[in-house]
Amino acid sequence: MPLLAVTREPLSVEKLSADVAALSGAEGEGCGAVTSFAGLVRAHHQGRAVTHLEYEAYEPLALKSFEQIRREAKDQWPGVVLGLHHRIGRLEIGEASIVIAAAAAHRAAAFEVCRYVIERVKQIAPIWKHEYFSGGGDAWVEGAVADPNDAAARELARARACASA
Amino acid sequence: MPLLAVTREPLSVEKLSADVAALSGAEGEGCGAVTSFAGLVRAHHQGRAVTHLEYEAYEPLALKSFEQIRREAKDQWPGVVLGLHHRIGRLEIGEASIVIAAAAAHRAAAFEVCRYVIERVKQIAPIWKHEYFSGGGDAWVEGAVADPNDAAARELARARACASA
Amino acid sequence: MRVGVKLFAQLRDKAGAGDVAIEIGAGATVRQVWQALVAAHPELAPFETSVSCAVNATYARMHTHVNAGDEVAFLPPVSGG
Amino acid sequence: MRVGVKLFAQLRDKAGAGDVAIEIGAGATVRQVWQALVAAHPELAPFETSVSCAVNATYARMHTHVNAGDEVAFLPPVSGG
């Protein structure tokens, strides 16, 4: 799978981490740090029992938003190699909806990119979560109003990603 | 392997992540986020070409330091499940010397614990890195003077772990 | 001219269709496409303040002009991750 | 009394041994064990300001008292991770 993808297949943190580490190791100072994030489907949301989820994406735009996020990350953290896969379709409890992996020479950048990317995905990726509840009923989750050019949102993601020391 | 370990075996981020996710999923709000960090052996260090490394540990004290770090993390981020494996012995370029995995209901705590733990390992774990150079020669790397009760060091680790927003 | 409109998530559920064809005058903006859509599907009106838009799978603005055959997408607040 | 001293990394390389037995008076502190060690291995003296210590595999202080048979470890600056 390419480093940026929207897919119906189960996600693998291990594979994506290995891919970014291999690319990072081939350049410059080499790869000294790999960070990853996986978002998993929880059995409860805001007090309601969830049986499963469905994720829907506007796939071509989602991929372009991933590319934008990668450009933003490269601008701020040159040399970091990013992998980002989002799953769509039906997901069961405990399955990963998103995996992010970042490889860099040193740990600070790898941590910061991983966190930055999940914040930006939640802000601008055209992907929607549909929750199905135990005992019936379902709801679309409404998150952020997507605006890829909102500088304040981008700054919030950067602030969440960057350590205070 | 237990969640905290010093080992001569190759490390697996995937296995450790799965272990912490399973434990986290069984409690409270369930597991919504898993973060990981892997430190890899780089081929270059401060301008010198490295052929391989050897890591040495005072194993029983290293394990106790891992337990202290876990207690510190639990105090600040209750509910986060932590896994921490450090490898010792000979390591080749590209191999992982350390893997950390953190699982939590929500992403902020999972990211912060992962970062906090690597900072604390570098401060207080009785483990030493011995570099062997291309063309001969070798050197022990001198890092931090280990002091498990140094409040300023602990605060520095916390500050590096915590986002500024 | 005719443009294709794509709707997602709640918007699609409310409208009862994910793909809608809209007839509109040449030189129309995305906002005018939205207004034509709401005229046909009044149940979409409450989304006006939170909807994002894209033209041909690129994020756009409500004042962006559209051409015949364009794919105009309207996106409710996103919730990926 | 006799205590066992464990040395790691540079300290072990400099001393040429990872395990050293030290004879010392009852009620001695870790610092006195260190001083006896340096008397036998003067090449360790430069580490005095950067060494950490443990007694029986628990971090200790230079003023900690040791007992016969204790394992006293001296640790140069650490570099794990």
Side-chain angles (χ1 to χ4, degrees):
Chain A
M1 216 181 298
L3 289 180
L4 306 180
V6 174
T7 175
R8 296 185 171 270
E9 301 301 313
L11 305 180
S12 167
V13 174
E14 185 190 31
K15 180 66 169 60
L16 192 60
S17 297
D19 287 352
V20 296
L23 281 167
S24 172
E27 46 177 70
E29 296 185 87
C31 180
V34 182
T35 57
S36 77
F37 171 77
L40 308 187
V41 179
R42 291 195 299 131
H44 301 275
H45 185 228
Q46 297 178 338
R48 297 188 72 172
V50 173
T51 60
H52 67 282
L53 298 182
E54 284 180 18
Y55 275 95
E56 171 180 339
Y58 184 21
E59 293 186 47
L61 183 60
L63 267 179
K64 284 184 191 162
S65 74
F66 289 4
E67 285 158 6
Q68 173 179 335
I69 292 168
R70 177 164 62 185
R71 282 194 304 275
E72 292 174 358
K74 284 273 188 192
D75 283 350
Q76 183 153 3
W77 296 275
V80 175
V81 179
L82 170 67
L84 166 55
H85 291 174
H86 202 299
R87 191 168 166 196
I88 56 173
R90 178 179 170 129
L91 276 78
E92 308 299 329
I93 305 300
E95 289 193 304
S97 55
I98 186 169
V99 300
I100 301 167
H106 303 287
R107 68 187 180 283
F111 272 109
E112 288 169 3
V113 166
C114 219
R115 182 74 196 269
Y116 181 79
V117 168
I118 180 62
E119 299 299 328
R120 289 297 275 159
V121 165
K122 287 176 174 283
Q123 289 173 347
I124 70 166
I127 300 174
W128 298 272
K129 175 157 68 171
H130 198 173
E131 297 181 322
Y132 292 83
F133 302 114
S134 174
D138 63 273
W140 288 99
V141 179
E142 289 203 11
V145 174
D147 181 352
N149 300 313
D150 181 344
R154 188 173 167 181
E155 174 54 27
L156 177 62
R158 199 203 60 76
R160 287 188 173 160
C162 292
S164 50
Chain B
M1 217 179 302
L3 291 181
L4 306 180
V6 174
T7 175
R8 295 184 172 273
E9 301 301 314
L11 304 181
S12 166
V13 174
E14 186 190 30
K15 179 68 169 62
L16 192 60
S17 296
D19 286 351
V20 296
L23 280 168
S24 171
E27 47 177 70
E29 295 185 88
C31 181
V34 182
T35 58
S36 77
F37 171 79
L40 308 186
V41 178
R42 290 194 299 132
H44 301 276
H45 185 226
Q46 296 178 341
R48 298 187 72 173
V50 173
T51 60
H52 68 282
L53 298 183
E54 285 181 17
Y55 275 95
E56 171 181 338
Y58 184 19
E59 293 186 46
L61 184 60
L63 267 180
K64 282 183 193 164
S65 75
F66 290 3
E67 285 159 6
Q68 172 179 336
I69 292 167
R70 178 164 61 184
R71 281 195 304 275
E72 291 174 0
K74 284 274 187 189
D75 282 351
Q76 184 152 4
W77 296 276
V80 176
V81 179
L82 169 67
L84 165 56
H85 291 175
H86 202 299
R87 191 168 167 196
I88 56 173
R90 179 178 169 128
L91 276 79
E92 309 300 330
I93 305 301
E95 289 193 304
S97 54
I98 186 168
V99 299
I100 301 168
H106 303 288
R107 69 188 179 282
F111 273 109
E112 288 170 1
V113 165
C114 219
R115 183 75 196 268
Y116 180 79
V117 168
I118 181 60
E119 300 299 328
R120 288 298 275 159
V121 165
K122 287 176 173 283
Q123 289 173 348
I124 69 166
I127 300 174
W128 299 272
K129 175 156 68 170
H130 197 174
E131 297 182 323
Y132 291 85
F133 301 114
S134 175
D138 63 272
W140 288 98
V141 179
E142 288 202 12
V145 174
D147 181 352
N149 300 314
D150 181 344
R154 188 173 167 181
E155 174 53 27
L156 177 62
R158 199 203 59 76
R160 286 188 173 159
C162 292
S164 50
Chain C
M1 67 183 184
R2 174 176 290 222
V3 298
V5 168
K6 289 191 85 73
L7 300 174
F8 294 91
Q10 304 97 301
L11 292 185
R12 187 196 52 241
D13 284 0
K14 295 275 188 206
D19 290 279
V20 179
I22 295 281
E23 280 291 341
I24 200 158
T29 62
V30 173
R31 184 176 308 283
Q32 289 169 312
V33 174
W34 170 259
Q35 287 160 349
L37 178 71
V38 170
H41 297 279
E43 61 280 11
L44 298 181
F47 288 92
E48 171 130 5
T49 56
S50 63
V51 80
S52 301
C53 61
V55 175
N56 298 330
T58 298
Y59 273 116
R61 296 289 180 181
M62 292 302 257
H63 57 72
T64 302
H65 287 273
V66 299
N67 296 306
D70 277 355
E71 176 177 291
V72 179
F74 292 109
L75 317 171
V78 299
S79 51
Chain D
M1 67 183 185
R2 174 175 291 221
V3 298
V5 168
K6 290 190 85 74
L7 300 174
F8 294 91
Q10 304 97 301
L11 293 184
R12 186 196 53 241
D13 284 1
K14 295 277 188 204
D19 290 280
V20 179
I22 294 282
E23 280 292 339
I24 200 158
T29 62
V30 172
R31 184 176 309 281
Q32 290 170 313
V33 175
W34 172 258
Q35 287 161 348
L37 178 72
V38 170
H41 296 280
E43 62 278 12
L44 297 182
F47 289 92
E48 171 131 4
T49 56
S50 64
V51 80
S52 300
C53 61
V55 175
N56 298 329
T58 298
Y59 272 116
R61 295 291 180 180
M62 291 304 255
H63 58 72
T64 302
H65 289 272
V66 299
N67 296 305
D70 277 355
E71 176 176 292
V72 179
F74 293 109
L75 317 171
V78 299
S79 51

